[in-house]
Amino acid sequence: MASDADQPILVASGIYKRFNALVVLDGIDFAMRPGEAIGVVGPNGAGKTTFLSVLVGAHRPTSGKVRFRGDDVTRLPAAERCRLGLARTHQVPRPFTGMTVFENTFVAASNGGRFPRTEAYDRCIDALSLCGMLGIANRRAETLGLLDRKRLELARALATNPVVLLLDEIGGGLTDKEAGELVDTIRELRRRGIAVVWIEHIVHILLQVAERLICMDAGRVIADGSPEAVMSDRAVIDAYFGEGTP
Amino acid sequence: MSGWNPLAPLPAVERWTPLAKVSAAAGVALLVLLALGPLILNANLLDKLTTLFIYVILALMWNALAGYGGLVSIGQQAFFGLGAYGAIRLADAGVNVYLSLVASALLVGLVAQPVSAFMLRLKAGEFAIGMWVLAELAHLLVNLDKLVQGETGTSLIALTAYQADSRRATIYWLALAAMAVLSGIVFALLRSRTGAAIQAIRDDEEAAAAVGVRVLGTKRIIFILAATGTAMAGALWLATAISFQPKTYFGVQWTAYMIFMVLVGGLGTFEGPLLGAVIFFTIEAWFGGSGVWYLVGLGGTALAFSLLLPRGIWGAVERRLSLRLLPVGYHLKVPLGIPESNMTEGASGQAPSAVAEIPPVER
């Protein structure tokens, strides 16, 4: 694997996704390098979450291809992609409510991570510690508040030992202090070599991590490049504030 | 693990608590004691206990399916009936009658494999009703068999070749063994990694797939296990009743009993259904003769429980006293210094610098 450092790790080409007459993704091309940190912005309804779902296999694209680590994974179900190292968090957290916080991560480590039992334990402890959840490891997930549910999304995704981690608005509703902690955690993940795609509305948090920014609107990528370039792009300003904004 | 203070104790996962060891030992001791039954107890009591063992199997299987697997079925009588029917067929073909009881259950398990391919595509309510339709279909097909003679039925005549006493003892032991083995299998399965995956699917199928759980294959395991166990119960019921009338075996009341036992005892707890079976057995012994009102009482009780104590008796006990006699879950023993119940504060205290460092593993 080491020699492929310059090969893109995750590639989507010509992705279209229609739900009946509604075109949600309208020809997306995307490629990311190993270890890269990409921020995804765009107005509501731009298709960001759908694009993420196509990448992980929760949705099949109407047409187009997804390649991960050199293989065509377009027809591979979500569970198999996760086992290859592609993990996501959900915008609206989806904890396993009847299980404890620890058990939530254990399912992820022993399935997605394919770790044997004791190694899975270590992974879970590591992921929970990283997300600040060790102290509530034995709580049933149904008793968690929204913030802890979001943390659990991240811990669970981490326990699968991802190569690429796709984060869907994990920073929404955080206080400044909490957002700072989240940024620290994600920087630590990057230090470990995990590539990150992060959809987020709170741009100033995003810019602390992202080295590249993508802006989507109406199912297309309208800008892709360095954060500074994208944020000052005419099309991006128009998409957010309406055409003709000075 | 460079980030950790090497002197600080690491969190450790605890699965066998001292209490769990004691209760597992007590369970085994109880089984041994029960195994002596035919040497001590009178015929009436043996028959009653055999019935109780069958109820325990039914409750255990429905709880595994619905309480842990999230597969709420109201058609488990399909497997109950097929288990009995298979035994009739096998015994008629000349197989030893006791062997045919066990073989029939295993055969039904085999049949459940292709059946699962269709049924597990159905979701929630569709699955529940679909299973009922399946049970009706199985009933009608069995009625077509000339050996069964429609609703006239037939009987397990081969059993009458054995003396009443030896027959009673053998069936008792068979039921006890089936209960012990099936409990052991369910317990081991739930404690395995597959068991955790099964519960994740119950709580959120899509999220389970997103963390790498192979949903269909995992569901199939629990579906086939429940089918096999329920078929064993049906075959044992036939052995105690000898006569086989399809209507009695393929009736939806069997699933109603299962639901009652599991809801009252505690859905999704390992101990609950065992308790529920004992309660159901007792109620039936006292009020079983009261006809329609008995059924009304059962329905009312189940309704009251699902409204007022949705996690059943054992679920309430577990929550109040945090008592787990036979735990299937995982308890993380966290060393001092990390508060047990922190919500938000101090959350980042240990992240990210004080974190155990584990590099990603090459896949």
Side-chain angles (χ1 to χ4, degrees):
Chain A
M1 294 308 315
S3 61
D4 317 329
D6 291 331
Q7 290 292 314
I9 188 156
L10 181 60
V11 182
S13 42
I15 300 289
Y16 288 84
K17 178 69 186 175
R18 291 188 200 92
F19 293 104
N20 298 320
L22 184 69
V23 179
V24 183
L25 299 178
D26 194 9
I28 293 194
D29 293 297
F30 166 90
M32 94 183 285
R33 285 180 286 108
E36 201 174 14
I38 301 179
V40 180
V41 296
N44 288 325
K48 304 183 295 289
T49 296
T50 307
F51 178 53
L52 190 148
S53 295
V54 166
L55 287 178
V56 298
H59 290 324
R60 283 273 163 81
T62 310
S63 64
K65 276 199 174 351
V66 180
R67 297 180 71 82
F68 181 53
R69 307 178 86 182
D71 296 318
D72 185 345
V73 296
T74 315
R75 305 196 65 79
L76 214 56
E80 303 307 320
R81 290 191 210 188
C82 177
R83 285 164 182 250
L84 289 176
L86 192 55
R88 77 171 298 177
T89 67
H90 295 93
Q91 183 179 358
V92 178
R94 305 179 74 158
F96 306 131
T97 47
M99 309 176 78
T100 69
V101 166
F102 180 82
E103 287 161 1
N104 266 263
T105 56
F106 181 71
V107 171
S110 62
N111 288 277
R114 302 188 300 183
F115 291 113
R117 188 177 286 279
T118 44
E119 231 180 310
Y121 289 165
D122 291 343
R123 283 283 164 174
C124 295
I125 291 166
D126 174 54
L128 289 174
S129 149
L130 198 56
C131 299
M133 299 191 86
L134 264 189
I136 52 171
N138 297 315
R139 288 235 327 243
R140 273 169 81 96
E142 66 188 349
T143 68
L144 298 180
L146 180 63
L147 177 62
D148 281 326
R149 285 176 184 232
K150 288 205 164 197
R151 283 194 176 129
L152 182 55
E153 281 288 325
L154 182 58
R156 210 166 58 179
L158 282 180
T160 67
N161 189 30
V163 177
V164 175
L165 180 61
L166 308 169
L167 304 171
D168 195 355
E169 293 197 25
I170 198 160
L174 299 189
T175 64
D176 283 351
K177 177 169 169 285
E178 290 157 358
E181 291 165 11
L182 179 64
V183 166
D184 286 345
T185 307
I186 292 171
R187 282 187 172 145
E188 166 64 18
L189 303 183
R190 294 215 50 217
R191 214 174 54 70
R192 295 181 183 193
I194 300 174
V196 176
V197 179
W198 187 359
I199 297 175
E200 193 58 79
H201 277 300
I202 312 167
V203 177
H204 72 94
I205 311 180
L206 196 54
L207 294 184
Q208 292 178 51
V209 177
E211 51 193 5
R212 183 178 144 202
L213 209 56
I214 287 176
C215 182
M216 286 179 66
D217 186 31
R220 293 165 196 238
V221 172
I222 57 168
D224 181 351
S226 75
E228 301 74 34
V230 169
M231 291 311 286
S232 56
D233 190 284
R234 187 71 238 174
V236 173
I237 294 167
D238 285 348
Y240 266 98
F241 303 107
E243 281 175 45
T245 310
Chain B
M1 297 234 159
S2 61
W4 284 99
N5 172 359
L7 297 177
L10 282 168
V13 177
E14 186 182 58
R15 306 212 65 204
W16 279 108
T17 59
L19 178 64
K21 283 178 193 161
V22 170
S23 39
V28 172
L30 181 64
L31 287 175
V32 171
L33 211 63
L34 284 171
L36 301 175
L39 311 177
I40 309 162
L41 304 172
N42 65 36
N44 179 36
L45 219 50
L46 278 185
D47 284 344
K48 287 218 158 109
L49 281 175
T50 306
T51 305
L52 175 62
F53 299 157
I54 295 173
Y55 288 163
V56 168
I57 295 174
L58 289 176
L60 194 69
M61 289 301 133
W62 200 81
N63 183 51
L65 187 70
Y68 283 99
L71 294 163
V72 176
S73 160
I74 50 176
Q76 291 308 96
Q77 66 274 17
F79 303 118
F80 189 81
L82 286 176
Y85 169 70
I88 293 263
R89 262 286 163 204
L90 288 171
D92 184 65
V95 179
N96 171 286
V97 66
Y98 295 122
L99 187 65
S100 69
L101 300 177
V102 179
S104 167
L106 296 176
L107 272 178
V108 172
L110 274 182
V111 171
Q113 158 85 22
V115 168
S116 74
F118 294 101
M119 300 315 294
L120 293 180
R121 283 175 198 278
L122 304 176
K123 302 271 182 256
E126 293 174 355
F127 174 79
I129 301 293
M131 286 301 297
W132 194 353
V133 173
L134 183 79
E136 291 300 308
L137 186 68
H139 181 183
L140 291 174
L141 287 177
V142 166
N143 274 4
L144 291 179
D145 188 337
K146 291 226 166 56
L147 182 67
V148 176
Q149 313 168 73
E151 287 303 345
T152 313
T154 179
S155 49
L156 196 61
I157 310 156
L159 258 188
T160 51
Y162 296 88
Q163 253 198 339
D165 278 349
S166 98
R167 191 170 74 207
R168 178 171 286 117
T170 310
I171 294 167
Y172 173 93
W173 274 319
L174 212 53
L176 179 66
M179 178 181 78
V181 168
L182 288 167
S183 310
I185 291 176
V186 170
F187 187 61
L189 179 69
L190 291 177
R191 282 175 63 92
S192 75
R193 289 184 287 162
T194 307
I198 287 168
Q199 295 175 63
I201 295 170
R202 169 198 65 196
D203 289 345
D204 191 327
E205 198 169 311
E206 228 178 280
V211 295
V213 174
R214 289 173 172 150
V215 172
L216 201 61
T218 309
K219 274 185 177 178
R220 183 170 288 155
I221 293 173
I222 203 88
F223 183 84
I224 291 173
L225 173 64
T228 312
T230 308
M232 188 70 229
L236 286 166
W237 193 264
L238 172 70
T240 60
I242 297 187
S243 73
F244 178 76
Q245 285 160 311
K247 207 162 53 183
T248 344
Y249 287 80
F250 286 101
V252 75
Q253 82 271 10
W254 287 108
T255 298
Y257 296 158
M258 297 177 212
I259 295 176
F260 177 88
M261 293 186 278
V262 172
L263 278 187
V264 170
L267 180 75
T269 65
F270 184 79
E271 302 89 337
L274 309 179
L275 184 65
V278 173
I279 292 170
F280 175 67
F281 174 77
T282 313
I283 293 177
E284 197 199 31
W286 284 345
F287 302 109
S290 333
V292 174
W293 286 108
Y294 159 66
L295 293 173
V296 171
L298 277 188
T301 313
L303 196 66
F305 264 93
S306 58
L307 288 174
L308 304 173
L309 264 187
R311 295 177 52 75
I313 295 174
W314 194 258
V317 168
E318 213 176 62
R319 189 158 294 186
R320 282 274 162 82
L321 311 171
S322 6
L323 188 66
R324 280 180 182 77
L325 296 183
L326 293 167
V328 295
Y330 301 75
H331 186 88
L332 191 67
K333 286 177 88 169
V334 182
L336 293 173
I338 302 171
E340 265 289 351
S341 59
N342 70 341
M343 277 293 290
T344 52
E345 276 305 305
S348 73
Q350 57 270 26
S353 58
V355 145
E357 220 171 292
I358 307 178
V361 165
E362 194 69 26
R363 286 161 192 268

